[in-house]
Amino acid sequence: MPIASPFPTIDIPQKDIHSFLFEREDRPFPEDQVVYIDGNTKRQLTYADVRDQAKTFGTGLKSHWSWRKGDVLAVYSTNQIDTPPVVWGTLWAGGVITTANPGYGVEELSFQLKDSSARALVTLVDLLPIAIQAAANAGIPKDRIIVLGDKRTKEHRHWKDITDLSTSAKWRKTRILNPEEELAYLVYSSGTTGLPKGVMLSHKNIVANLLQFTPNDPLDWTEDRLVAFLPFFHIYGLTCLMHHAILRGLPTVVMDRFDLNKFCQHIQDYRVTFAYLVPPVILLLAKHPDVAKYDFSSLKMVNSGAAPLTRELVESVWARLRISIKQGYGLSETSPVTHSMRWSQWRSHVGSVGPLLANMTAKYVDEEGVEVPAGKPGELWMAGPNIMMGYLNNPTATVNAITPDGFFKTGDVGYQDGDGNFYITDRVKELIKYKGFQVAPAELEGLLLGHEKVDDCAVTGIYSPRIASEVPRAYITLSAGAERSKDTELELIKYVEDRVAQHKRLRGGIRFLDAIPKSISGKILRRVLRDIAKEEDEGEAVPKAKL
């Protein structure tokens, strides 16, 4: 039997995102409540500023370009406090937003613009060289490239110039008649195993998810503050920070990119009380020397998501800084949050992502797709109002991802404990298969991160012709002062060997890297590691000339 959420069912209103956020009767905070603060310039936007500027921008889209329901606007930018009014102005006009990674090059951005059929592109002055080429490749006219941010240029209109106040009275908000079936966002998967897929999220998906996860974080607009470096182009930052902040009136310091010292300074200066983080940042909190210079006493709780977090890291940060860390879980395809640890249980259930959120059901299945009993490991499948509509232009991938009865196949392996808390142990495709045994890279990574000489690490499987099987290999970034040597390698191999079952040993050895390859959301790029391993092993296989 599928697992039901322990929380009471929530009534999901049949509202579009803009109406849900800006036409509400239950708003507890005033219109002049500051919501977004620019971390660089200290410029602020209130709730009323965002609402009014969104309507003005939406009016401009309709006036200038006859914007119609379903037209797509692409946002290719780092975090800006003006991103929210641009996004919700587009939704006001009936449009769809696709968010693009500002680290993309011309080819990657061109693909997304073409795949999403974007009609216009919003970007920063500094990103114009790439944006102009990609827009041309996608058939977007040059006059539909809009500039965001404090810098301006004569060649392209600024987003605040996309308006027509003289005739604004004749324009009305586009009605969303069926929030469950009408597209709001196209967020693209990271593409670590191939071309990115456009995840289609409806208005109801986002509205539902906001109502599902926000009750689990007891925050109050009168005293709580957030910091936002997680990218708004990624679903984690888009929902949990950009949307969450304005829904609850939480003052949020917006960072255009992550910088450790600025991040720490903002927490200290603004007395930030809650932060949404990713494991690489938590790793810095545990080990980076600069962190000790700052005051973190205002932080009530930290939430970690986007990638697995080990017990060792949670305990290290607590021991060093007395910062409480809970975990959550979700995916782009689930809008994203599906699990969130209760604040009161972060110490008693370290490693868990918490219980299943309201209005959701879940089950674990084996490799044949047969449901396994609760408590037994398997692949996690979930159903609920926050599950995506499907993948854009990819019906085959959609059918493969969502079952006929509405369960999304996450591709993540885990189990549920007796208290109803879920644990995610690894990705199905990332499990290393050693002679019939399954080895979870995350488990070995957690062990290695507990060693004083390890600053960061990643484990992947490599094929060993000698034993005709995959074996685990660790890639390690050493702590300052640790020596790259055979002795260090043997020490770390022995460290793991003493703590794991026989089949989990690092038979593929250890390699040292300057940095572990990761996506912007903090996920280890194991595809890159496998490519590195292949090059290394091919190089070692080349016969050496005799002198």
Side-chain angles (χ1 to χ4, degrees), residues 132-151:
I132 291 170
Q133 292 183 58
N137 292 343
I140 297 174
K142 196 170 183 179
D143 64 358
R144 290 200 177 186
I145 300 175
I146 309 165
V147 170
L148 186 69
D150 294 324
K151 289 184 181 180

Side-chain angles (χ1 to χ4, degrees), residues 514-546:
D514 292 333
I516 302 299
K518 294 180 181 179
S519 71
I520 196 166
S521 63
K523 294 179 181 177
I524 295 169
L525 298 176
R526 299 187 196 276
R527 170 177 50 81
V528 176
L529 290 177
R530 286 191 287 270
D531 290 343
I532 292 172
K534 185 178 179 181
E535 291 180 8
E536 289 171 340
D537 293 344
E538 286 177 351
E540 291 172 3
V542 175
K544 293 182 174 62
K546 293 183 178 180

